[in-house]
Amino acid sequence: LSSSYKIGDVNGLGRTFDGIGGLSGGGATSRLLMNYAEPYRSQILDYLFKPNFGAALQILKVEIGGDGQSTEGTEATHMRSESDENYSRGYEWWLMKEAKSRNPNITLVGLPWAFPGWIGQGTVWPYQNRDITAKYVTNWVLGAKAHHNLVIDYVGIWNERPFDVEYIKILRNTLNSAGLNHVQIIADDGDVYSSISSDIMHDQKLDEAVGVIGTHYPGTISSKTTKETGKPIWASEDYSTYSDVIGAGCWARILNQNLVNGNMTATIAWNLITSYYDDLPYNRCSIMTANSPWSGNYILNDPLWVTSHTTQFTQPGWKYLQTVGHLTGGGSYVALTDQKGNLTIVIETMSHDQSVCIRPPLPEYSVQDQNATFILEGSFKGKVSKLNMWFTQLGQSSKRDVFVHKGQVAVDKNGQALIHLPIDCVITLSTITSAIKGSYPTPPASTVFPIPYSDNFNNPTGFSEPFNFADQAGSYEFYHNASSKDGHESTFRQVVKQRPVTWCSDPDQTITVIGNYQWKTISVSVSIKSESTYGAFVAIRVDKGGCDAREANGLYFWLMKNGSIMLTSDLTATSVLKQCYFYWKCFYNELDWNNVTLSVNQHNQVSAYLNGKLALEYTIPDKSDVPNNGFVALGTANYGTAQFDDFSIKEN
Ligand SMILES: *[C@@H]1O[C@H](CO)[C@@H](O)[C@H](O)[C@H]1NC(C)=O
Ligand SMILES: *[C@@H]1O[C@H](CO)[C@@H](O)[C@H](O)[C@H]1NC(C)=O
Ligand SMILES: *[C@@H]1O[C@H](CO)[C@@H](O)[C@H](O)[C@H]1NC(C)=O
Ligand SMILES: *[C@@H]1O[C@H](CO)[C@@H](O)[C@H](O)[C@H]1NC(C)=O
Ligand SMILES: *[C@@H]1O[C@H](CO)[C@@H](O)[C@H](O)[C@H]1NC(C)=O
Ligand SMILES: *[C@@H]1O[C@H](CO)[C@@H](O)[C@H](O)[C@H]1NC(C)=O
Ligand SMILES: *[C@@H]1O[C@H](CO)[C@@H](O)[C@H](O)[C@H]1NC(C)=O
Ligand SMILES: *[C@@H]1O[C@H](CO)[C@@H](O)[C@H](O)[C@H]1NC(C)=O
């Protein structure tokens, strides 16, 4: 099969290209990245953000933390109460600065998932008082500039949840009143059918308020009405597919076809980087993997180099040509120009089975080996005599080329360039000469999280959180008590006092998990006496996180303020396995700080020691809700403060 395709601007240009991006958050997806040692941490960031090196991402979208669960964990809010403002929590500020330091042109986007509880004004609805919510989001944008010199370019509404037309208008006005007219609003980050589009068509004020229509997992299609709004259309969250060769195929196909089929001018991958534990949901649905900081290992997944095929040959602001489309033998091509003579053509020939994304379902189609002649017309005719060719072969082929420079393709005097297109490949043809397949020495091999492991929370990490804990409900931070005289000046404290305006159905308890799924013995000091929680727990074998955290089974050892101690097999403390060891008479002598050791041996015998004394024993029966493995965890009985210290994991 041999077909020809015209590439030119004879009938004018198409839409403006807005970029390819990655999403950190939604949630806590970058949690383990911060404790990579140098040089690995900088290398990882270079592969993601440095121009002409790796993925060279053009957009970084981050979560505006709301202290609530948003898929892989919770992210800290900048306002825990109406009077609290703090722009040094969490790691997204740091990540944005690292991205900007590598590419000052990178576009920054912020979007809330959960909101802190007070935003709900007694409800779990963020639009209860729209002025307050708009101020909350505007403060985040102002804080980014004031505290980190970060200019935010776009903000969203409420991820994958109902939008409120009145709120969008109020947010627009609030941003404008704060001098943030340049910050555009993306809406509504959900609904594939973009019902907001018909609202925009009928409401001029809404039309003025919304800058970009953002859809999620659009399957490369935009609705007719969405196109009719004339607004930029983004796949503002897409991909979410396991990052093997099929994930790379998915990413290659949608990066082209979101434009060809859906007129979308930006695509953002959820998520940027797997820096969360593999035992949390959606593991490795990322552009890159870096979730074993203790080893220094990271993985350059194929989707990273698929990204380079577009990003290293374009800039946001370039124009798509109108001459884009499907290839006769299957696959697609797009073309872009800087309007100064540069031309980039990106071609993909992904077969169906090698490019299925996690969602939506992909209708059957076929792709065949084919030849293509690209005929340059208009302002490119006679101006371009050769095109640099970069090539990636994915799929089942034994030939595994990934982002390889294949020299130059000649453009003949008739403006024609002939190329062979095998199945499952990505090819870039471009006048741009600056592309590089960047590389660092191979990082160390991945290892399991080593034990013994301990943290006395005395060593600053440069962040509000210690390393390695992954909060699944509530927020856990370093806490400093200058007046402490008992060796607990620096501790680990749960600080959220009210259940958030949730995005998932967060539990009524708070919980933070850590480590290897096989860990069996945990020791930690617990302080609840002068804290506001009803009680705290220490747990092992916790088998769920993310939006399923509420349903997590495990072995939970509780110290309650009312004096009760108990062992349960669930986080909600409804399945009590054992309560009150005899000599404690249902009560323990509550100290300011209590040493707890919880362990399970190979005979499934559980023992809990409290301040050096055996407090409770239990043998797990053959038939039981208690999982065989799971995370080690700490938590509180409700939204209230509690402190932990001298955390240690011993040899099994
Ligand atoms: C900001 O919050 C962090 C963590 O909650 C805390 O350590 C820090 O002291 C706070 N900064 C200010 C200025 O309040
Ligand atoms: C930033 O954008 C400007 C204007 O488009 C461009 O000249 C410059 O090369 C870009 N810088 C980087 C690092 O991409
Ligand atoms: C959408 O893209 C197609 C080609 O891919 C083009 O023909 C059409 O004019 C575009 N529609 C809008 C509204 O941009
Ligand atoms: C293409 O872009 C480069 C910068 O990457 C620039 O130097 C050159 O002038 C542009 N135009 C052409 C026709 O190459
Ligand atoms: C592509 O062109 C080459 C060279 O002309 C030819 O050998 C080959 O058979 C063609 N392949 C297809 C699929 O048409
Ligand atoms: C701080 O330390 C003092 C002295 O040990 C103690 O009384 C107080 O309860 C501690 N405060 C907190 C919040 O831990
Ligand atoms: C203490 O609280 C726990 C959990 O709410 C409850 O199960 C237990 O019965 C209470 N114990 C006493 C002595 O009130
Ligand atoms: C807890 O254990 C530490 C050592 O691990 C010890 O120094 C301390 O005295 C113990 N505290 C209590 C209350 O038993």
Side-chain angles (χ1 to χ4, degrees):
L1 179 71
S2 188
S3 304
S4 58
Y5 307 92
K6 291 175 177 174
I7 299 285
D9 49 8
V10 176
N11 297 313
L13 295 166
R15 293 190 173 220
T16 302
F17 172 66
D18 294 309
I20 309 296
L23 170 45
S24 170
T29 52
S30 303
R31 181 64 179 90
L32 300 173
L33 181 57
M34 65 195 204
N35 60 323
Y36 266 81
E38 294 297 349
Y40 310 115
R41 193 169 80 172
S42 291
Q43 292 174 359
I44 294 164
L45 293 162
D46 284 351
Y47 279 117
L48 291 172
F49 300 116
K50 192 173 162 183
N52 301 317
F53 194 80
L57 291 169
Q58 295 157 328
I59 302 174
L60 172 60
K61 174 172 169 178
V62 304
E63 176 172 350
I64 301 178
D67 283 335
Q69 174 63 243
S70 46
T71 304
E72 310 298 342
T74 68
E75 294 198 27
T77 179
H78 58 291
M79 293 181 75
R80 295 222 154 98
S81 67
E82 200 163 355
S83 57
D84 171 54
E85 275 191 68
N86 183 314
Y87 300 92
S88 57
R89 295 180 185 135
Y91 36 87
E92 301 294 6
W93 306 117
W94 163 77
L95 186 64
M96 285 190 279
K97 284 187 282 190
E98 293 292 334
K100 275 277 179 195
S101 77
R102 287 168 174 78
N103 176 6
N105 291 347
I106 198 165
T107 300
L108 297 178
V109 182
L111 173 68
W113 269 249
F115 296 85
W118 65 273
I119 284 282
Q121 307 279 301
T123 73
V124 288
W125 191 240
Y127 312 127
Q128 192 65 19
N129 184 323
R130 299 175 179 96
D131 295 315
I132 284 178
T133 308
K135 187 83 175 60
Y136 169 80
V137 171
T138 301
N139 281 349
W140 186 85
V141 177
L142 291 170
K145 178 70 183 150
H147 297 267
H148 303 285
N149 200 26
L150 290 167
V151 176
I152 304 297
D153 302 293
Y154 296 86
V155 291
I157 306 304
W158 187 17
N159 182 68
E160 293 174 4
R161 293 291 177 269
F163 63 89
D164 176 283
V165 167
E166 198 53 34
Y167 169 69
I168 295 172
K169 294 175 189 170
I170 289 174
L171 177 60
R172 179 71 272 158
N173 288 339
T174 310
L175 289 166
N176 291 353
S177 305
L180 299 170
N181 304 60
H182 67 276
V183 179
Q184 293 202 51
I185 293 178
I186 301 175
D188 69 318
D189 278 309
D191 186 6
V192 175
Y193 303 103
S194 291
S195 62
I196 194 160
S197 302
S198 41
D199 292 335
I200 286 170
M201 297 296 273
H202 298 114
D203 184 335
Q204 200 197 329
K205 281 267 176 277
L206 181 65
D207 186 15
E208 285 163 19
V210 174
V212 168
I213 297 184
T215 60
H216 288 192
Y217 306 93
T220 77
I221 309 284
S222 309
S223 77
K224 187 167 166 283
T225 319
T226 299
K227 292 178 193 172
E228 278 166 9
T229 62
K231 295 198 179 293
I233 312 166
W234 290 14
S236 48
E237 186 182 319
D238 210 337
Y239 175 62
S240 190
T241 303
Y242 192 86
S243 52
D244 59 7
V245 71
I246 296 179
C250 153
W251 186 229
R253 182 173 52 76
I254 64 179
L255 285 185
N256 263 19
Q257 298 202 18
N258 277 346
L259 180 276
V260 171
N261 303 335
N263 303 65
M264 286 170 258
T265 54
T267 297
I268 299 174
W270 187 88
N271 57 69
L272 175 72
I273 188 164
T274 289
S275 285
Y276 48 98
Y277 291 110
D278 276 336
D279 292 304
L280 290 169
Y282 300 102
N283 71 71
R284 308 203 177 198
C285 292
S286 327
I287 290 173
M288 190 172 169
T289 301
N291 66 353
S292 77
W294 44 85
S295 70
N297 178 260
Y298 58 81
I299 304 169
L300 304 174
N301 303 108
D302 288 343
L304 182 128
W305 299 114
V306 165
T307 314
S308 319
H309 271 279
T310 301
T311 54
Q312 291 209 20
F313 305 91
T314 57
Q315 298 260 2
W318 282 38
K319 293 279 185 185
Y320 278 107
L321 306 189
Q322 288 188 33
T323 50
V324 300
H326 294 273
L327 299 164
T328 319
S332 67
Y333 65 102
V334 297
L336 303 97
T337 180
D338 63 353
Q339 297 182 267
K340 291 177 207 143
N342 276 301
L343 174 68
T344 291
I345 304 169
V346 187
I347 304 152
E348 60 79 24
T349 57
M350 293 304 141
S351 61
H352 179 277
D353 292 358
Q354 295 298 313
S355 70
V356 177
C357 303
I358 197 169
R359 67 181 87 90
L362 182 62
E364 282 297 336
Y365 66 88
S366 64
V367 178
Q368 63 192 89
D369 191 83
Q370 55 195 305
N371 284 329
T373 303
F374 291 95
I375 306 169
L376 307 195
E377 297 187 333
S379 62
F380 306 107
K381 186 168 182 181
K383 297 274 166 43
V384 178
S385 60
K386 49 191 190 295
L387 290 163
N388 287 289
M389 174 157 150
W390 287 75
F391 184 80
T392 292
Q393 175 71 63
L394 297 169
Q396 296 306 312
S397 170
S398 54
K399 228 174 90 223
R400 291 275 290 120
D401 280 339
V402 179
F403 200 55
V404 177
H405 189 193
K406 294 271 192 182
Q408 293 174 329
V409 175
V411 179
D412 70 16
K413 60 181 188 314
N414 299 319
Q416 302 194 355
L418 171 71
I419 54 165
H420 174 225
L421 305 177
I423 298 173
D424 294 323
C425 69
V426 193
I427 295 176
T428 302
L429 302 174
S430 181
T431 56
I432 295 291
T433 54
S434 51
I436 290 169
K437 184 171 184 178
S439 77
Y440 286 114
T442 307
S446 179
T447 59
V448 296
F449 196 150
I451 44 176
Y453 178 78
S454 64
D455 196 341
N456 58 15
F457 309 104
N458 294 338
N459 303 315
T461 57
F463 296 87
S464 57
E465 302 104 333
F467 289 152
N468 297 322
F469 285 90
D471 306 346
Q472 301 301 310
S475 279
Y476 286 74
E477 295 179 340
F478 280 118
Y479 178 70
H480 194 72
N481 182 354
S483 59
S484 168
K485 288 166 199 76
D486 54 8
H488 297 289
E489 290 83 0
S490 292
T491 69
F492 186 43
R493 192 184 201 199
Q494 201 294 114
V495 294
V496 181
K497 296 174 187 157
Q498 187 186 357
R499 192 168 176 271
V501 171
T502 55
W503 186 73
C504 299
S505 71
D506 295 32
D508 300 307
Q509 298 74 21
T510 79
I511 178 169
T512 184
V513 304
I514 183 169
N516 183 290
Y517 233 47
Q518 312 299 327
W519 286 354
K520 293 180 173 65
T521 303
I522 169 179
S523 288
V524 68
S525 297
V526 183
S527 169
I528 55 173
K529 195 171 179 178
S530 356
E531 295 282 34
S532 65
T533 186
Y534 301 151
F537 67 80
V538 172
I540 49 184
R541 293 195 183 182
V542 172
D543 71 344
K544 287 188 189 68
C547 290
D548 295 331
R550 177 185 271 275
E551 275 85 47
N553 285 330
L555 286 163
Y556 297 80
F557 177 68
W558 302 77
L559 299 183
M560 302 301 290
K561 252 195 189 147
N562 68 8
S564 186
I565 58 174
M566 57 185 177
L567 185 72
T568 70
S569 65
D570 59 352
L571 174 59
T572 51
T574 41
S575 297
V576 178
L577 302 174
K578 195 129 187 195
Q579 204 163 9
C580 320
Y581 197 65
F582 64 97
Y583 61 78
W584 295 93
K585 297 194 182 71
C586 292
F587 293 90
Y588 68 98
N589 181 16
E590 192 191 329
L591 305 173
D592 281 339
W593 284 93
N594 299 278
N595 283 9
V596 175
T597 298
L598 177 67
S599 65
V600 59
N601 67 18
Q602 72 267 40
H603 305 297
N604 270 333
Q605 290 164 328
V606 183
S607 45
Y609 285 83
L610 191 51
N611 299 323
K613 290 180 189 155
L614 184 63
L616 189 148
E617 276 183 306
Y618 176 75
T619 301
I620 304 168
D622 287 342
K623 280 199 144 175
S624 165
D625 290 340
V626 178
N628 290 327
N629 296 299
F631 289 112
V632 156
L634 305 173
T636 62
N638 62 325
Y639 280 89
T641 56
Q643 289 178 68
F644 300 88
D645 204 356
D646 300 322
F647 175 84
S648 74
I649 302 293
K650 303 201 169 55
E651 301 288 351
N652 284 330

